[in-house]
Amino acid sequence: MKVKDVPPGRLLAIDPDTSLAELAKRMRVEGADSAAVMSKGNLVGIVTERDLVRAIADALDPKQTTAAVIMTGDPATVTMDEEVAVVALKMMRLGVRHLPVVDSKGTPIGLISAGDLVGVLEGKS
């Protein structure tokens, strides 16, 4: 089974200078647990709920701190043609729960989560 058989989750795209307060609000409103950080149409990073929790624990000012400060830069990505099992292993190896899905030009078209993969892989058994 390939990633294209698991529709990727909606992509919440934000600018690197988006404040953490605005980011958290958008994530809550849109029901997203991560956001792709985009600059001039290119994926430059990803911010997850885990990153926001770390920022709060580190007492960063959510109105002054931007996504660029806490994002994981140059995130790993997957394509629609990758095998789901390989993607699951990639997530485990990298210690991440979300990966941007990119098209043939490298443009993000969605996000795939560990939860998405667990559901698919459990259904295979």
Side-chain angles (χ1 to χ4, degrees):
M1 180 175 288
K2 297 188 183 270
V3 170
K4 65 184 169 193
D5 299 319
V6 182
R10 195 166 35 94
L11 179 73
L12 170 59
I14 60 163
D15 197 73
D17 64 2
T18 302
S19 73
L20 299 188
E22 177 63 23
L23 171 57
K25 180 179 179 181
R26 287 191 56 199
M27 287 173 71
R28 180 176 51 86
V29 168
E30 297 188 32
D33 51 9
S34 61
V37 183
M38 305 289 292
S39 178
K40 298 177 185 170
N42 295 313
L43 177 67
V44 295
I46 188 168
V47 177
T48 67
E49 290 175 327
R50 195 185 297 181
D51 297 321
L52 288 172
V53 169
R54 283 189 198 114
I56 292 167
D58 291 342
L60 298 179
D61 183 341
K63 292 183 179 179
Q64 298 297 318
T65 307
T66 64
V69 172
I70 69 164
M71 72 180 189
T72 299
D74 193 26
T77 61
V78 297
T79 66
M80 295 291 270
D81 291 324
E82 289 188 58
E83 291 289 334
V84 168
V86 172
V87 172
L89 290 172
K90 187 179 206 177
M91 284 182 176
M92 288 173 40
R93 182 174 45 83
L94 295 172
V96 299
R97 295 180 289 178
H98 303 87
L99 287 172
V101 179
V102 296
D103 64 15
S104 60
K105 296 178 184 175
T107 304
I109 56 173
L111 288 165
I112 193 158
S113 72
D116 296 333
L117 298 180
V118 167
V120 169
L121 293 172
E122 283 181 344
K124 280 181 69 174
S125 345

